[in-house]
Amino acid sequence: MKKEELRKKYKEKRNSLLDVEITFFQESIYKQVFDLDISKVKIVHLFLSMRKFKEIDTNPLIDYFRSNKKRIVVSKCNFNNNTLSHFYFDEDTELMLNKFGVPEPNNTEEVSESELDLIFVPMLISDKNNYRVGYGKGYYDRFLSKCRKDVPIIGLNFFEPIKKIEDVNKFDIPLDKIIYPKE
Ligand SMILES: Nc1nc2c(c(=O)[nH]1)N(C=O)[C@@H](CNc1ccc(C(=O)N[C@@H](CCC(=O)O)C(=O)O)cc1)CN2
Ligand SMILES: Nc1ncnc2c1ncn2[C@@H]1O[C@H](COP(=O)(O)OP(=O)(O)OP(=O)(O)O)[C@@H](O)[C@H]1O
């Protein structure tokens, strides 16, 4: 299937998940994140969920990384050119919802892509080659192209990867790992 069709299909699938399913799936996803080796990581980039679209709640992961003395970085959307800028998200950082419903930090220090040591990315679906489909504006493809090449990029999703996204393009960057509910 192609991205456009996959976007529609997986938006619908996610919307129809029950709260109990989401809770169950998230527990499995969190456990797998807690098993990652983070000994060399200082700065973790995470997304803050669009709750209206039933994205994975990343708050427990933020708590986990903070309690392990990692600094958290989150993004702000630049709507004029579909790029992201990145800012520290500390315990006292205020958040405001942007026009997409994504929480964004207010008045904190900007961080360059090269400083990030571990990156978690949202998605609608991925395939067995670790390519992802997002909301189709290229925010994450532009962002990931600027990160250090040694940095693990980990996708989080409620759904198992499909066999193949048919219309992968030259901007698509494959992820290093996809975490989805298992066992
Ligand atoms: N939590 C989270 N943050 C993220 C992403 C994400 O998938 N999840 N993104 C991943 O790339 C970027 C945001 N991408 C988005 C692209 C489109 C829409 C969206 O709602 N589009 C509506 C039209 C909204 C409008 O223009 O007012 C639509 O397409 O119907 C939302 C987010 C950056 N931040
Ligand atoms: N690094 C880049 N430089 C210029 N254009 C890009 C880059 N990455 C992606 N694009 C463009 O952005 C558009 C959206 O890309 P794509 O369909 O892969 O989005 P997506 O990965 O589903 O969405 P998102 O990254 O927002 O979650 C495409 O037209 C693509 O050509």
Side-chain angles (χ1 to χ4, degrees), residues 160-178:
E160 187 174 346
I162 58 163
K163 197 163 158 219
K164 196 170 165 35
I165 297 165
E166 284 169 16
D167 53 343
V168 163
N169 65 51
K170 63 176 179 191
F171 295 123
D172 288 325
I173 295 174
L175 309 179
D176 294 288
K177 184 181 175 76
I178 320 277

Side-chain angles (χ1 to χ4, degrees), residues 82-100:
N82 291 358
T83 60
L84 297 172
S85 303
H86 316 283
F87 299 86
Y88 284 119
F89 177 39
D90 298 324
E91 246 147 307
D92 58 356
T93 305
E94 281 178 36
L95 296 173
M96 273 177 56
L97 290 192
N98 73 11
K99 68 167 182 179
F100 291 150

Side-chain angles (χ1 to χ4, degrees), residues 14-74:
R14 198 163 65 189
N15 264 324
S16 61
L17 288 175
L18 303 173
D19 285 351
V20 287
E21 292 174 308
I22 289 180
T23 303
F24 185 73
F25 289 165
Q26 286 184 162
E27 284 310 316
S28 170
I29 292 167
Y30 299 155
K31 243 193 228 140
Q32 295 176 64
V33 172
F34 300 158
D35 281 342
L36 297 171
D37 176 9
I38 54 166
S39 54
K40 294 194 180 71
V41 171
K42 290 198 177 76
I43 304 183
V44 182
H45 185 283
L46 269 154
F47 54 95
L48 296 175
S49 312
M50 289 187 273
R51 303 315 290 267
K52 61 174 180 182
F53 292 143
K54 300 198 183 188
E55 286 191 312
I56 292 165
D57 179 7
T58 52
N59 283 304
L61 301 178
I62 289 167
D63 293 342
Y64 167 75
F65 287 115
R66 282 193 185 139
S67 69
N68 280 278
K69 304 271 181 286
K70 312 301 179 190
R71 198 107 186 250
I72 309 290
V73 171
V74 299

Side-chain angles (χ1 to χ4, degrees), residues 3 7 132-142 145 169 171-172:
K3 288 181 187 172
R7 235 168 243 135
R132 69 180 272 286
V133 179
Y135 283 93
K137 297 213 154 92
Y139 279 101
Y140 268 87
D141 296 321
R142 287 189 189 83
S145 71
N169 65 51
F171 295 123
D172 288 325

